[in-house]
Each structure stands twice: as C-alpha cells, then as structure tokens.
Amino acid sequence: PRAAVAMADRVRVRREAPAEIHRSGVLTGGFDLNDVEFEVTERKFFEEDGSGLLVVEIRNADAAVVNALRRIMIAEIPTLAADVVGIMANSSVIADEILAHRIGLVPFNIDPLTVRRTKRFHFDLYKRCTEVGVDDKIMSSDLKWVEDVDCEDGYKPTIRPAPLHDNILLAKLIPGQEVLLRAQLRKGEGKDHAKFSPVATASYRLMPHVEVDQEKAAPFASEIKAACPRDVFDIEDSGKLIATNPRNCTMCRECIRPDGWNEIITLERDPSHYIFSIESVGVIPPEEIFRRALSKLKLKCIDLNREVRELLKGEN
C-alpha cells in the first residue's frame, strides 16, 4: 500500500481499568485515508421514510479520522428546520416559546441538496377546539405548506413539502382555545442548532477481542457464561467455552471480576478497528449521511493540503 498503517498492539482491559492505553492509536509509517476499509454489518429500518440504524465497521483507521466523521455527521450535514415561528394567537397552556421550540424540532421531508441556502419554506397552522368535552390535539400533520408563497420564485418540488411524521404531538386544546401561527423553515447545520442535525445518535467503539484459556476455563465454563449479560460466551457439546459473539461485548468485565477469572478470559480492544453506529431521524437515510460525511471530510483534507502547500511555498 502507499502508506502502511502500523497500529499499536491491542488495548488490554483488566479488572481495575484498561492497561497500556498510552500505546493505543499510535501510527507509524504514515497514514493514508485510502487504506481505510469500510464494511456495513447491520441495517435496521424504523419507518418507511428510510430512518433507522446503520452499523459500519471501519478498519485501519485512527481515532482522529473516525471522530472527525462523527463530528461532521452531527454538526456539518445540512437539513431544514423551522427557524422563525410567528404566533398570531395562542390561548393554549403551552407558552409561545415552548410551542415554537417544539415546532423547530419537527423534521420535514425536504432534501437539503435540492434547495438553495437562501430558500425559505412557510407552513401555516390553525387549530381551534369547539366541541365541548373533547380535548383536541395539535399534531405535526396540522402544519400545511403555503405553496403560493414558496413557489413565487419558480420552485417546483417533486414531493410536496410536509412534516416527515404526521403523529408528532405539539399541543393539546380544550374548548375555546386556539392556535394560529406561521413557521418559516431554512437550511442549516447542527453546529448552528441541534434541530438541524440529521442524526439522533452517531457513535463508535473499538472492536472487542475475547480470548479464552481452554485448559483453565473448563471448571468455570457454566459460571462464566452465566455471568456475561451480553451472551458473548457459549458452551459447546464437548463442554468447551467459546466466545461466539465478541462484538456484543461492552467490556463490563463481569467475566474477569471474580478472583482467578482474569487468567482465564482475556479482554482486549483493537485501536485500529471501529464499530460505527449511525441512527438517522429520517430526513436523510443513514447510508447517505455516511457518504456525505465522507465527501465533506475529503474536501477538508484537500483544503488543508492546499493551505499547507501555500504556507510552505511562502516560507521558501
């Protein structure tokens, strides 16, 4: 490879705390993003809109690169959200600022790549409770797109703009109460406000490695298996204790806490192998969030490389 990535040995996890952590993540021989490997290992769908969980394994990478991806997903992938809410009437028990905040957190089905940063979208909401003895609910589905205003500049959407989910409760009304407002949406990023973030969570952890000393494990096999809350271990028909699901390990150390068990079970983490989890709110599928974060990271590296070259050229 162009730049071989030589990572330090695995981090040993002992009963008291991780050991030899000063050696983890040390790179020698250079580092090249082209050496990083990605593999999708899990995909769960929560809704028909494409929201869900994506788990990606990242190999031959440093924590700085993986954490940069995480921060870009959270703070630099743009979406649209309500930024200004003009409330003309609100006789409900919810204060104006709380209602505006709740509307700001509602996701919309507008792909940010299809609109300019200066584009604004407007949604009206009017609800009045008139029936005696009935509590009326204001849902996200009550936000109606103001087409006449938003299409004056020639904008023609392929999908009618609307809240991504119709069942988000915004407020409750009793007879005689009403709410009248207009919300204005704009394009923004998570670093401006968390409501613009396309992910619910984006996190990573080091790949666990679990090794069993078969000779010493025989007398304690059933006890060690029962002690693990994550079903990492299993016992074969021969009575042999094996780690069948090492990826499930959270390093709770229950399998090495009793006296003598730390000589039977070896817990380690690989500092160059990461399990990356992305949970989307649904506006952008997690696969697309990952791709856009990679593209943005690549552009950042290109910009940094250009600035460093210009700086060195100036010194010469």
Side-chain angles (χ1 to χ4, degrees), residues 11-86:
V11 179
R12 180 74 180 273
V13 179
R14 303 187 187 279
R15 281 188 295 183
E16 298 79 14
E20 302 167 352
I21 57 175
H22 62 284
R23 298 169 59 192
S24 65
V26 179
L27 295 170
T28 60
F31 180 67
D32 193 332
L33 281 176
N34 292 302
D35 296 323
V36 180
E37 299 177 0
F38 304 98
E39 179 185 357
V40 177
T41 58
E42 185 179 353
R43 177 66 163 99
K44 291 182 179 179
F45 290 91
F46 298 154
E47 301 285 346
E48 294 181 358
D49 53 33
S51 63
L53 174 69
L54 178 72
V55 179
V56 181
E57 288 190 17
I58 305 177
R59 301 182 181 87
N60 302 329
D62 185 53
V65 175
V66 180
N67 192 52
L69 279 173
R70 183 188 69 85
R71 291 176 65 89
I72 289 172
M73 292 178 194
I74 294 173
E76 298 187 42
I77 303 299
T79 63
L80 283 93
D83 190 56
V84 177
V85 179

Side-chain angles (χ1 to χ4, degrees), residues 20 37 45 64 233 258 275 292 310:
E20 302 167 352
E37 299 177 0
F45 290 91
F233 302 99
I275 302 173
R292 295 182 188 183
E310 292 177 355

Side-chain angles (χ1 to χ4, degrees), residues 11 16-17 97 140 148 150 166 180 203 265 272 298 309 312:
V11 179
E16 298 79 14
E97 58 270 25
S140 54
D148 295 341
D150 293 342
D166 295 335
L180 173 63
S203 61
I265 306 297
S272 65
K298 182 179 180 180
R309 288 178 183 274
L312 294 176

